[in-house]
Coordinates of all heavy atoms in Angstrom, one line a residue:
M1 N -9.9 -45.0 30.3 CA -10.4 -44.9 31.7 C -11.4 -46.0 31.9 O -12.4 -46.1 31.2 CB -11.0 -43.5 31.9 CG -11.5 -43.4 33.4 SD -12.0 -41.7 33.9 CE -13.4 -41.5 32.8
L2 N -11.3 -46.7 33.1 CA -12.2 -47.7 33.3 C -13.2 -47.1 34.4 O -12.7 -46.6 35.4 CB -11.5 -48.9 34.0 CG -12.3 -50.1 34.6 CD1 -13.1 -50.7 33.4 CD2 -11.4 -51.1 35.2
L3 N -14.4 -47.3 34.2 CA -15.5 -46.9 35.0 C -16.0 -48.1 35.8 O -16.3 -49.1 35.3 CB -16.7 -46.2 34.3 CG -16.4 -44.9 33.7 CD1 -17.6 -44.4 33.0 CD2 -15.9 -43.9 34.7
I4 N -16.1 -47.9 37.2 CA -16.7 -48.9 38.0 C -18.0 -48.3 38.6 O -18.0 -47.2 39.1 CB -15.7 -49.3 39.2 CG1 -14.4 -49.9 38.5 CG2 -16.4 -50.4 40.1 CD1 -13.3 -50.2 39.6
D5 N -19.0 -49.2 38.5 CA -20.4 -48.7 38.9 C -20.6 -49.0 40.4 O -21.1 -50.1 40.7 CB -21.4 -49.4 38.0 CG -22.8 -48.8 38.2 OD1 -22.9 -47.7 38.8 OD2 -23.7 -49.4 37.7
C6 N -20.3 -48.0 41.2 CA -20.6 -48.2 42.7 C -22.1 -48.3 42.8 O -22.8 -47.5 42.3 CB -20.0 -47.0 43.4 SG -20.4 -47.1 45.2
P7 N -22.5 -49.3 43.6 CA -24.0 -49.5 43.7 C -24.7 -48.3 44.5 O -25.9 -48.1 44.5 CB -24.2 -50.8 44.4 CG -22.8 -51.2 44.8 CD -21.8 -50.4 44.2
H8 N -23.8 -47.5 45.3 CA -24.2 -46.4 46.1 C -24.1 -45.0 45.4 O -24.9 -44.1 45.7 CB -23.5 -46.4 47.4 CG -23.5 -47.8 48.1 ND1 -24.6 -48.3 48.6 CD2 -22.5 -48.7 48.2 CE1 -24.3 -49.5 49.1 NE2 -23.0 -49.7 48.8
C9 N -23.2 -45.0 44.5 CA -22.8 -43.6 44.0 C -22.9 -43.5 42.4 O -23.1 -42.5 41.8 CB -21.4 -43.2 44.3 SG -21.0 -43.3 46.0
G10 N -23.0 -44.7 41.8 CA -23.0 -44.7 40.3 C -21.6 -44.8 39.7 O -20.6 -45.1 40.5
P11 N -21.5 -44.7 38.4 CA -20.2 -44.9 37.8 C -19.1 -43.9 38.2 O -19.5 -42.7 38.2 CB -20.5 -44.8 36.2 CG -22.0 -44.9 36.2 CD -22.6 -44.4 37.5
R12 N -17.9 -44.4 38.5 CA -16.8 -43.5 38.9 C -15.5 -44.1 38.4 O -15.4 -45.3 38.1 CB -16.7 -43.4 40.5 CG -17.9 -42.8 41.2 CD -18.0 -41.3 40.9 NE -18.9 -40.6 41.7 CZ -20.3 -40.5 41.5 NH1 -20.8 -41.2 40.5 NH2 -21.0 -39.9 42.3
D13 N -14.5 -43.3 38.3 CA -13.2 -43.6 37.8 C -12.6 -44.7 38.7 O -12.7 -44.7 39.9 CB -12.3 -42.4 37.7 CG -11.0 -42.7 36.9 OD1 -10.6 -43.9 36.7 OD2 -10.4 -41.7 36.5
E14 N -11.9 -45.7 38.1 CA -11.3 -46.8 38.8 C -10.3 -46.4 39.9 O -10.1 -47.2 40.8 CB -10.7 -47.7 37.8 CG -9.4 -47.1 37.1 CD -8.7 -48.1 36.2 OE1 -8.3 -49.2 36.7 OE2 -8.5 -47.7 35.1
I15 N -9.7 -45.2 39.8 CA -8.8 -44.8 40.7 C -9.4 -44.5 42.1 O -8.7 -44.4 43.1 CB -8.0 -43.6 40.3 CG1 -8.9 -42.3 40.1 CG2 -7.2 -43.8 39.0 CD1 -8.1 -41.1 39.9
E16 N -10.7 -44.4 42.1 CA -11.4 -44.2 43.5 C -11.6 -45.5 44.2 O -12.2 -45.4 45.4 CB -12.7 -43.6 43.2 CG -12.6 -42.1 42.6 CD -14.0 -41.5 42.4 OE1 -15.0 -41.9 42.9 OE2 -14.1 -40.3 41.8
F17 N -11.3 -46.6 43.6 CA -11.6 -47.9 44.2 C -10.4 -48.7 44.6 O -9.3 -48.6 44.1 CB -12.5 -48.7 43.2 CG -13.7 -48.1 42.9 CD1 -13.8 -47.1 41.8 CD2 -15.0 -48.5 43.6 CE1 -15.1 -46.6 41.5 CE2 -16.2 -47.8 43.2 CZ -16.2 -46.9 42.3
S18 N -10.6 -49.6 45.5 CA -9.6 -50.5 46.0 C -10.1 -51.9 46.0 O -11.3 -52.1 46.4 CB -9.1 -50.2 47.4 OG -8.4 -48.9 47.4
Y19 N -9.3 -52.9 45.6 CA -9.7 -54.3 45.6 C -9.7 -54.9 46.9 O -8.8 -54.6 47.7 CB -8.7 -55.0 44.6 CG -8.9 -56.5 44.4 CD1 -10.0 -56.9 43.7 CD2 -8.0 -57.4 45.0 CE1 -10.2 -58.2 43.5 CE2 -8.3 -58.7 44.8 CZ -9.3 -59.1 44.0 OH -9.5 -60.6 43.9
G20 N -10.6 -55.8 47.2 CA -10.7 -56.4 48.6 C -10.7 -57.9 48.5 O -10.9 -58.5 49.5
G21 N -10.3 -58.5 47.4 CA -10.3 -59.9 47.4 C -11.5 -60.7 47.0 O -12.5 -60.0 46.7
E22 N -11.5 -62.0 47.1 CA -12.7 -62.8 46.7 C -13.9 -62.5 47.5 O -13.8 -62.3 48.8 CB -12.3 -64.3 46.9 CG -13.4 -65.2 46.4 CD -13.0 -66.7 46.5 OE1 -11.8 -67.0 46.8 OE2 -13.8 -67.5 46.3
A23 N -15.0 -62.5 46.9 CA -16.3 -62.2 47.7 C -16.9 -63.5 48.2 O -16.5 -64.6 47.7 CB -17.3 -61.5 46.8
H24 N -17.7 -63.4 49.1 CA -18.5 -64.5 49.6 C -17.6 -65.6 50.3 O -18.0 -66.8 50.3 CB -19.4 -65.1 48.6 CG -20.1 -64.1 47.8 ND1 -21.1 -63.4 48.4 CD2 -20.1 -63.7 46.5 CE1 -21.7 -62.6 47.4 NE2 -21.0 -62.8 46.3
V25 N -16.5 -65.2 50.9 CA -15.8 -66.1 51.7 C -16.4 -66.2 53.2 O -16.4 -65.1 53.8 CB -14.2 -65.7 51.8 CG1 -13.5 -66.6 52.8 CG2 -13.6 -65.7 50.4
V26 N -16.9 -67.3 53.5 CA -17.7 -67.4 54.8 C -16.8 -67.6 55.9 O -15.9 -68.5 55.9 CB -18.7 -68.5 54.6 CG1 -19.5 -68.6 55.9 CG2 -19.6 -68.2 53.5
Y27 N -16.9 -66.8 57.0 CA -16.2 -67.0 58.2 C -16.6 -68.4 58.9 O -17.7 -68.7 58.9 CB -16.5 -65.9 59.3 CG -15.5 -65.9 60.4 CD1 -14.3 -65.4 60.4 CD2 -16.1 -66.4 61.6 CE1 -13.5 -65.3 61.4 CE2 -15.3 -66.3 62.8 CZ -14.0 -65.8 62.7 OH -13.2 -65.7 63.8
P28 N -15.6 -69.2 59.3 CA -16.0 -70.4 59.9 C -16.9 -70.3 61.1 O -16.8 -69.4 61.9 CB -14.6 -71.0 60.3 CG -13.6 -70.2 59.6 CD -14.2 -68.9 59.3
E29 N -17.9 -71.3 61.1 CA -18.9 -71.2 62.1 C -18.4 -71.3 63.5 O -18.7 -70.6 64.4 CB -19.9 -72.4 61.9 CG -21.2 -72.1 62.6 CD -22.3 -73.1 62.0 OE1 -22.6 -73.1 60.8 OE2 -22.8 -73.9 62.8
D30 N -17.3 -72.3 63.7 CA -16.6 -72.3 65.0 C -15.1 -72.4 64.8 O -14.6 -73.5 64.6 CB -17.1 -73.6 65.7 CG -16.6 -73.6 67.1 OD1 -15.8 -72.7 67.5 OD2 -16.8 -74.6 67.8
P31 N -14.5 -71.3 64.7 CA -13.0 -71.3 64.4 C -12.1 -72.1 65.3 O -11.1 -72.6 65.0 CB -12.6 -69.8 64.4 CG -13.9 -69.0 64.4 CD -15.0 -70.0 64.9
S32 N -12.6 -72.2 66.5 CA -11.8 -72.9 67.5 C -11.6 -74.4 67.3 O -10.8 -75.0 67.8 CB -12.4 -72.7 69.0 OG -13.6 -73.3 69.1
V33 N -12.5 -75.0 66.4 CA -12.3 -76.4 66.2 C -11.5 -76.7 64.9 O -11.2 -77.8 64.7 CB -13.7 -77.0 66.0 CG1 -14.5 -76.9 67.3 CG2 -14.4 -76.5 64.8
L34 N -11.1 -75.6 64.2 CA -10.2 -75.9 63.0 C -8.8 -76.1 63.4 O -8.2 -75.5 64.4 CB -10.2 -74.6 62.2 CG -11.6 -74.2 61.6 CD1 -11.4 -72.9 60.8 CD2 -12.3 -75.2 60.9
N35 N -8.1 -77.0 62.7 CA -6.7 -77.2 62.9 C -6.0 -76.1 62.1 O -6.5 -75.4 61.4 CB -6.3 -78.7 62.5 CG -6.5 -79.0 61.1 OD1 -6.4 -78.0 60.2 ND2 -6.9 -80.2 60.8
D36 N -4.6 -76.2 62.2 CA -3.9 -75.1 61.6 C -4.0 -75.1 60.1 O -4.1 -74.0 59.5 CB -2.3 -75.2 61.9 CG -2.1 -74.8 63.4 OD1 -3.0 -74.2 64.0 OD2 -1.0 -75.2 63.9
A37 N -4.1 -76.2 59.4 CA -4.2 -76.4 58.1 C -5.5 -75.8 57.6 O -5.7 -75.1 56.6 CB -4.1 -77.8 57.6
E38 N -6.6 -76.1 58.4 CA -7.9 -75.6 57.9 C -8.0 -74.1 58.1 O -8.6 -73.4 57.4 CB -9.1 -76.3 58.8 CG -9.2 -77.8 58.5 CD -10.0 -78.5 59.4 OE1 -10.0 -78.1 60.7 OE2 -10.5 -79.6 59.2
W39 N -7.4 -73.6 59.2 CA -7.5 -72.1 59.5 C -6.7 -71.4 58.4 O -7.1 -70.3 57.9 CB -6.9 -71.9 60.9 CG -7.0 -70.4 61.2 CD1 -5.9 -69.6 61.5 CD2 -8.1 -69.6 61.4 NE1 -6.4 -68.3 61.8 CE2 -7.8 -68.3 61.8 CE3 -9.5 -69.8 61.3 CZ2 -8.6 -67.3 62.0 CZ3 -10.4 -68.8 61.5 CH2 -9.9 -67.5 61.8
G40 N -5.5 -72.0 58.1 CA -4.7 -71.4 57.0 C -5.4 -71.4 55.7 O -5.3 -70.5 54.9
R41 N -6.1 -72.4 55.4 CA -6.9 -72.6 54.1 C -8.0 -71.4 54.1 O -8.2 -70.7 53.2 CB -7.6 -73.9 54.0 CG -8.3 -74.1 52.7 CD -8.8 -75.5 52.5 NE -7.7 -76.4 52.5 CZ -6.8 -76.7 51.5 NH1 -6.9 -76.0 50.4 NH2 -5.8 -77.5 51.7
Y42 N -8.6 -71.2 55.3 CA -9.7 -70.1 55.3 C -8.9 -68.8 55.1 O -9.5 -67.9 54.5 CB -10.3 -70.1 56.7 CG -11.1 -68.8 56.9 CD1 -12.2 -68.4 56.2 CD2 -10.6 -67.9 57.9 CE1 -12.9 -67.2 56.5 CE2 -11.2 -66.7 58.1 CZ -12.4 -66.4 57.4 OH -12.9 -65.2 57.6
L43 N -7.8 -68.5 55.8 CA -7.2 -67.2 55.7 C -6.5 -66.9 54.3 O -6.6 -65.8 53.9 CB -6.2 -67.1 56.7 CG -6.5 -67.0 58.2 CD1 -5.3 -67.0 59.2 CD2 -7.4 -65.8 58.5
F44 N -5.9 -67.9 53.7 CA -5.1 -67.6 52.6 C -5.4 -68.2 51.3 O -4.9 -67.7 50.3 CB -3.6 -68.1 52.9 CG -3.1 -67.4 54.2 CD1 -2.8 -68.3 55.3 CD2 -2.9 -66.0 54.3 CE1 -2.3 -67.6 56.4 CE2 -2.4 -65.5 55.4 CZ -2.1 -66.2 56.6
Y45 N -6.3 -69.2 51.2 CA -6.5 -69.9 49.9 C -7.8 -69.2 49.3 O -8.8 -69.2 49.9 CB -6.8 -71.4 50.3 CG -5.5 -72.2 50.5 CD1 -4.7 -71.9 51.5 CD2 -5.3 -73.3 49.7 CE1 -3.5 -72.7 51.7 CE2 -4.1 -74.1 49.9 CZ -3.2 -73.7 50.9 OH -2.2 -74.5 51.1
R46 N -7.5 -68.8 48.1 CA -8.6 -68.2 47.3 C -8.7 -68.8 46.0 O -7.6 -69.3 45.4 CB -8.4 -66.7 47.3 CG -8.5 -66.0 48.6 CD -9.9 -66.1 49.2 NE -10.0 -65.5 50.5 CZ -9.9 -66.0 51.7 NH1 -9.7 -67.3 51.8 NH2 -10.0 -65.4 52.8
E47 N -9.8 -68.7 45.4 CA -9.9 -69.2 44.0 C -9.2 -68.1 43.1 O -9.0 -66.9 43.3 CB -11.5 -69.2 43.6 CG -12.2 -70.2 44.3 CD -11.7 -71.6 44.1 OE1 -11.4 -72.0 42.9 OE2 -11.6 -72.4 45.1
N48 N -8.7 -68.6 41.9 CA -8.0 -67.7 41.0 C -8.5 -68.1 39.6 O -7.6 -68.5 38.7 CB -6.5 -67.9 41.2 CG -5.8 -66.8 40.4 OD1 -6.3 -65.8 39.9 ND2 -4.5 -67.1 40.1
P49 N -9.7 -68.0 39.2 CA -10.2 -68.4 38.0 C -9.8 -67.4 36.8 O -9.6 -66.3 37.0 CB -11.7 -68.5 38.1 CG -12.0 -67.3 39.1 CD -10.8 -67.4 40.0
K50 N -9.9 -67.9 35.6 CA -9.8 -67.1 34.4 C -11.2 -67.0 33.9 O -11.8 -67.9 33.5 CB -8.9 -67.8 33.4 CG -8.8 -67.0 32.1 CD -7.9 -67.6 31.1 CE -7.6 -66.7 29.9 NZ -6.8 -67.3 28.9
G51 N -11.7 -65.8 34.1 CA -13.1 -65.6 33.7 C -13.9 -64.8 34.7 O -13.2 -64.1 35.6
D52 N -15.2 -65.0 34.7 CA -16.1 -64.2 35.7 C -15.7 -64.7 37.1 O -15.6 -65.8 37.4 CB -17.5 -64.4 35.4 CG -17.9 -63.8 34.1 OD1 -17.1 -63.0 33.5 OD2 -19.0 -64.1 33.6
F53 N -15.6 -63.7 38.0 CA -15.2 -63.9 39.4 C -15.9 -62.9 40.3 O -16.0 -61.6 39.9 CB -13.7 -63.8 39.5 CG -13.1 -64.3 40.8 CD1 -13.6 -65.5 41.4 CD2 -12.2 -63.5 41.5 CE1 -13.0 -65.9 42.6 CE2 -11.6 -63.9 42.6 CZ -12.0 -65.1 43.2
A54 N -16.5 -63.3 41.5 CA -17.1 -62.4 42.5 C -16.0 -61.9 43.4 O -15.3 -62.6 44.0 CB -18.2 -63.2 43.2
E55 N -15.9 -60.6 43.4 CA -14.9 -59.9 44.1 C -15.5 -58.8 45.1 O -16.6 -58.3 44.8 CB -13.9 -59.2 43.3 CG -13.3 -60.2 42.3 CD -12.4 -59.4 41.2 OE1 -12.8 -58.3 40.8 OE2 -11.5 -60.0 40.7
R56 N -14.7 -58.5 46.1 CA -15.1 -57.4 47.0 C -14.3 -56.1 46.6 O -13.1 -56.3 46.3 CB -14.8 -57.7 48.5 CG -15.6 -58.8 49.0 CD -15.3 -59.0 50.5 NE -13.9 -59.1 50.8 CZ -13.4 -58.9 51.9 NH1 -14.1 -58.7 53.1 NH2 -12.1 -58.9 52.1
W57 N -15.0 -55.1 46.6 CA -14.3 -53.8 46.3 C -14.8 -52.7 47.3 O -15.9 -52.8 47.8 CB -14.7 -53.3 44.8 CG -14.0 -54.1 43.8 CD1 -14.3 -55.3 43.3 CD2 -12.9 -53.7 43.1 NE1 -13.4 -55.7 42.4 CE2 -12.5 -54.8 42.1 CE3 -12.0 -52.6 43.1 CZ2 -11.4 -54.8 41.3 CZ3 -11.0 -52.5 42.2 CH2 -10.6 -53.5 41.3
I58 N -14.0 -51.7 47.5 CA -14.4 -50.6 48.4 C -14.2 -49.4 47.6 O -13.2 -49.1 46.9 CB -13.6 -50.5 49.7 CG1 -14.1 -49.4 50.6 CG2 -12.1 -50.4 49.4 CD1 -13.6 -49.4 52.0
H59 N -15.2 -48.4 47.7 CA -15.2 -47.1 47.0 C -14.4 -46.2 48.0 O -15.0 -45.4 48.6 CB -16.5 -46.6 46.8 CG -16.6 -45.4 45.8 ND1 -17.8 -44.8 45.5 CD2 -15.7 -44.8 45.2 CE1 -17.5 -43.8 44.6 NE2 -16.2 -43.8 44.5
S60 N -13.1 -46.4 48.1 CA -12.3 -45.7 49.1 C -12.1 -44.2 48.8 O -12.0 -43.5 49.8 CB -10.9 -46.4 49.1 OG -10.3 -46.6 47.8
G61 N -12.2 -43.7 47.6 CA -12.3 -42.4 47.2 C -13.7 -41.8 47.1 O -13.7 -40.6 46.5
G62 N -14.7 -42.4 47.6 CA -16.0 -41.9 47.5 C -16.7 -42.1 48.8 O -16.5 -41.6 49.8
C63 N -17.8 -43.0 48.7 CA -18.6 -43.3 49.8 C -18.0 -44.1 50.9 O -18.5 -44.4 52.0 CB -20.0 -43.9 49.3 SG -19.8 -45.5 48.6
R64 N -16.9 -44.8 50.6 CA -16.1 -45.7 51.5 C -17.0 -46.9 51.9 O -16.7 -47.4 53.0 CB -15.6 -44.9 52.8 CG -14.7 -43.7 52.4 CD -14.1 -43.1 53.6 NE -13.3 -44.0 54.3 CZ -12.1 -44.5 54.0 NH1 -11.5 -44.0 53.0 NH2 -11.5 -45.3 54.9
K65 N -17.8 -47.3 51.1 CA -18.6 -48.5 51.4 C -18.1 -49.7 50.5 O -17.7 -49.5 49.3 CB -20.2 -48.3 51.0 CG -20.8 -47.3 51.9 CD -22.2 -47.1 51.5 CE -22.9 -46.1 52.5 NZ -24.2 -45.8 52.1
W66 N -18.2 -50.9 51.1 CA -17.8 -52.1 50.4 C -19.0 -52.5 49.6 O -20.2 -52.3 49.9 CB -17.5 -53.2 51.4 CG -16.1 -53.0 52.1 CD1 -16.0 -52.4 53.3 CD2 -14.9 -53.5 51.6 NE1 -14.6 -52.4 53.6 CE2 -14.0 -53.1 52.6 CE3 -14.5 -54.1 50.5 CZ2 -12.6 -53.4 52.5 CZ3 -13.1 -54.4 50.4 CH2 -12.2 -54.0 51.3
F67 N -18.7 -53.2 48.5 CA -19.6 -53.8 47.6 C -19.1 -55.0 46.9 O -17.8 -55.3 47.0 CB -20.3 -52.8 46.7 CG -19.3 -52.2 45.7 CD1 -19.1 -52.8 44.4 CD2 -18.5 -51.1 45.9 CE1 -18.2 -52.2 43.5 CE2 -17.6 -50.5 45.2 CZ -17.4 -51.1 43.9
N68 N -19.8 -55.7 46.2 CA -19.3 -56.9 45.4 C -19.4 -56.6 44.0 O -20.3 -55.7 43.6 CB -20.2 -58.1 45.8 CG -20.0 -58.6 47.2 OD1 -18.9 -58.6 47.7 ND2 -21.1 -59.0 47.8
A69 N -18.6 -57.2 43.2 CA -18.7 -57.1 41.8 C -18.3 -58.4 41.1 O -17.7 -59.3 41.6 CB -17.6 -56.0 41.3
I70 N -19.0 -58.5 39.9 CA -18.6 -59.7 39.1 C -17.6 -59.0 38.0 O -18.1 -58.2 37.2 CB -19.8 -60.3 38.4 CG1 -20.9 -60.8 39.4 CG2 -19.4 -61.5 37.5 CD1 -20.4 -61.9 40.4
R71 N -16.4 -59.6 38.0 CA -15.5 -59.1 37.0 C -14.8 -60.2 36.3 O -14.5 -61.3 36.9 CB -14.4 -58.3 37.8 CG -13.3 -57.5 36.9 CD -12.3 -56.8 37.7 NE -11.5 -57.6 38.5 CZ -10.3 -58.1 38.1 NH1 -9.8 -57.8 37.0 NH2 -9.6 -58.9 39.0
N72 N -14.6 -60.0 35.0 CA -13.8 -61.0 34.2 C -12.4 -60.7 34.4 O -11.8 -59.8 34.2 CB -14.2 -60.9 32.7 CG -13.6 -62.0 31.9 OD1 -12.4 -62.2 31.9 ND2 -14.4 -62.8 31.3
T73 N -11.7 -61.8 35.0 CA -10.2 -61.6 35.4 C -9.3 -61.7 34.2 O -8.2 -61.3 34.2 CB -9.8 -62.7 36.3 OG1 -10.0 -64.0 35.7 CG2 -10.6 -62.6 37.7
A74 N -9.9 -62.1 33.0 CA -9.1 -62.0 31.8 C -9.1 -60.7 31.1 O -8.2 -60.3 30.4 CB -9.4 -63.3 30.9
T75 N -10.3 -60.1 31.1 CA -10.6 -58.9 30.3 C -10.6 -57.6 31.1 O -10.7 -56.5 30.6 CB -11.8 -59.0 29.4 OG1 -12.9 -59.1 30.4 CG2 -11.8 -60.2 28.5
Y76 N -10.7 -57.9 32.4 CA -10.9 -56.7 33.4 C -12.3 -56.2 33.4 O -12.6 -55.1 34.0 CB -9.9 -55.6 33.3 CG -8.5 -56.1 33.5 CD1 -7.6 -56.5 32.5 CD2 -8.0 -56.3 34.8 CE1 -6.4 -56.9 32.7 CE2 -6.7 -56.7 35.1 CZ -6.0 -57.1 34.1 OH -4.6 -57.6 34.3
E77 N -13.2 -56.7 32.5 CA -14.5 -56.1 32.3 C -15.4 -56.3 33.6 O -15.5 -57.5 34.1 CB -15.3 -56.7 31.2 CG -16.7 -56.2 30.9 CD -17.3 -57.0 29.8 OE1 -16.8 -58.1 29.4 OE2 -18.4 -56.6 29.4
F78 N -16.0 -55.3 34.1 CA -17.0 -55.4 35.2 C -18.3 -55.7 34.6 O -18.8 -55.0 33.8 CB -17.0 -54.1 36.1 CG -15.9 -54.0 37.0 CD1 -14.6 -53.6 36.6 CD2 -16.1 -54.2 38.4 CE1 -13.6 -53.4 37.4 CE2 -15.0 -54.1 39.3 CZ -13.8 -53.7 38.8
K79 N -18.8 -56.9 35.0 CA -20.1 -57.3 34.5 C -21.3 -56.9 35.3 O -22.5 -57.1 34.9 CB -20.1 -58.8 34.1 CG -19.0 -59.0 33.2 CD -19.1 -60.4 32.6 CE -18.2 -60.6 31.4 NZ -18.4 -62.0 30.8
G80 N -21.0 -56.5 36.5 CA -22.1 -56.0 37.4 C -21.6 -55.8 38.8 O -20.6 -56.4 39.2
T81 N -22.3 -54.9 39.5 CA -21.9 -54.7 40.9 C -23.1 -54.8 41.8 O -24.3 -54.6 41.2 CB -21.3 -53.3 41.1 OG1 -22.2 -52.3 40.7 CG2 -20.0 -53.1 40.3
Y82 N -23.0 -55.1 43.1 CA -24.2 -55.2 43.9 C -23.7 -54.9 45.3 O -22.6 -55.2 45.7 CB -24.9 -56.6 43.8 CG -23.9 -57.7 43.9 CD1 -23.9 -58.6 45.0 CD2 -23.1 -58.2 42.8 CE1 -23.1 -59.7 45.1 CE2 -22.3 -59.2 42.9 CZ -22.2 -60.0 44.1 OH -21.4 -61.0 44.1
A83 N -24.6 -54.4 46.1 CA -24.3 -54.0 47.5 C -24.1 -55.3 48.3 O -24.6 -56.2 48.0 CB -25.4 -53.1 48.1
M84 N -23.4 -55.1 49.4 CA -23.2 -56.2 50.4 C -24.6 -56.7 50.9 O -25.6 -55.8 51.1 CB -22.5 -55.8 51.6 CG -21.0 -55.5 51.3 SD -20.2 -57.0 50.9 CE -18.5 -56.5 50.6
G85 N -24.8 -58.0 51.0 CA -26.1 -58.5 51.4 C -27.1 -58.8 50.2 O -28.1 -59.4 50.3
E86 N -26.8 -58.2 49.1 CA -27.7 -58.4 47.8 C -27.2 -59.7 47.2 O -26.0 -60.1 47.3 CB -27.7 -57.2 46.9 CG -28.3 -56.0 47.5 CD -28.3 -54.9 46.4 OE1 -27.7 -55.0 45.3 OE2 -29.0 -53.9 46.7
K87 N -28.2 -60.2 46.4 CA -27.8 -61.4 45.7 C -27.0 -61.0 44.4 O -27.3 -60.0 43.9 CB -29.1 -62.1 45.2 CG -28.9 -63.5 44.6 CD -30.3 -64.1 44.6 CE -30.2 -65.6 44.2 NZ -30.3 -66.0 43.0
A88 N -26.1 -61.8 44.0 CA -25.3 -61.5 42.8 C -26.2 -61.5 41.6 O -27.2 -62.3 41.4 CB -24.2 -62.6 42.6
P89 N -26.0 -60.4 40.7 CA -26.8 -60.4 39.4 C -26.5 -61.6 38.6 O -25.4 -62.1 38.5 CB -26.4 -59.1 38.8 CG -25.0 -58.9 39.3 CD -24.9 -59.4 40.7
T90 N -27.5 -62.0 37.8 CA -27.3 -63.1 36.8 C -26.6 -62.5 35.7 O -27.0 -61.5 35.0 CB -28.7 -63.7 36.4 OG1 -29.2 -64.2 37.6 CG2 -28.4 -64.8 35.4
I91 N -25.4 -63.1 35.3 CA -24.7 -62.6 34.2 C -24.7 -63.6 33.1 O -24.4 -64.7 33.2 CB -23.2 -62.3 34.6 CG1 -23.1 -61.5 35.8 CG2 -22.4 -61.9 33.5 CD1 -23.5 -60.0 35.6
K92 N -25.1 -63.1 31.9 CA -25.1 -63.9 30.7 C -23.9 -63.6 29.9 O -23.3 -62.5 29.9 CB -26.3 -63.6 29.8 CG -27.7 -64.1 30.5 CD -28.8 -63.8 29.6 CE -29.0 -62.4 29.2 NZ -30.2 -61.9 28.9
E93 N -23.4 -64.6 29.2 CA -22.2 -64.4 28.3 C -22.5 -63.2 27.4 O -23.5 -63.2 26.8 CB -21.8 -65.6 27.6 CG -20.4 -65.6 27.1 CD -19.4 -65.4 28.0 OE1 -19.5 -66.0 29.1 OE2 -18.4 -64.7 27.7
G94 N -21.6 -62.3 27.4 CA -21.7 -61.1 26.4 C -22.3 -59.9 27.1 O -22.2 -58.9 26.5
D95 N -22.9 -60.1 28.3 CA -23.5 -58.9 29.0 C -22.3 -58.0 29.4 O -21.3 -58.4 29.8 CB -24.2 -59.4 30.2 CG -25.6 -59.7 29.9 OD1 -26.0 -59.8 28.7 OD2 -26.4 -60.1 30.9
A96 N -22.6 -56.7 29.3 CA -21.6 -55.8 29.8 C -22.4 -54.7 30.6 O -23.5 -54.3 30.2 CB -20.8 -55.2 28.7
K97 N -21.8 -54.1 31.6 CA -22.5 -53.1 32.3 C -21.4 -51.9 32.5 O -20.3 -52.2 32.6 CB -22.9 -53.6 33.7 CG -23.7 -52.5 34.4 CD -24.3 -53.1 35.7 CE -25.1 -52.1 36.3 NZ -25.6 -52.5 37.6
Ligands
LIG1 ZN1 -19.6 -45.1 46.2

């Protein structure tokens, strides 16, 4: 069983959570000036690294709040979670939470 540490509720079973994609994708300052390619890049293009990655998650089976997490995409290990608006925790290699 994988536990995910909701910043609002504490550790809970992974089945209570839903993935929300890449974190920290900034909405364009003035979307009306973007051409179709730029708008498409904002909507659909995301990073896909192997290793630590900042992601959005929602505790859909609990508090229903969104939060961010640093997760290793190769090992599925959650290295830290933080509430929306908070700064990402500093993750050192080998740290686990
Ligand atoms: Zn929660």
Side-chain angles (χ1 to χ4, degrees):
M1 177 172 69
L2 176 64
L3 291 177
I4 299 175
D5 189 12
C6 174
H8 310 287
C9 306
R12 298 290 192 275
D13 193 339
E14 65 178 304
I15 63 170
E16 296 184 8
F17 296 86
S18 297
Y19 178 71
E22 182 178 352
H24 311 296
V25 176
V26 178
Y27 189 78
E29 200 166 297
D30 186 1
S32 65
V33 301
L34 300 181
N35 63 35
D36 288 348
E38 292 166 333
W39 183 244
R41 183 168 305 280
Y42 163 71
L43 288 178
F44 303 113
Y45 283 55
R46 296 294 180 262
E47 296 297 318
N48 188 23
K50 181 178 182 181
D52 293 348
F53 189 47
E55 302 170 330
R56 296 184 313 162
W57 285 79
I58 185 170
H59 192 184
S60 49
C63 63
R64 303 190 54 80
K65 292 181 180 173
W66 286 95
F67 62 93
N68 294 317
I70 305 294
R71 183 180 67 94
N72 186 301
T73 59
T75 64
Y76 298 98
E77 178 186 10
F78 280 76
K79 296 193 169 183
T81 58
Y82 50 106
M84 291 292 182
E86 289 183 352
K87 193 171 189 263
T90 302
I91 305 295
K92 293 183 299 207
E93 194 59 37
D95 276 1
K97 187 172 182 185

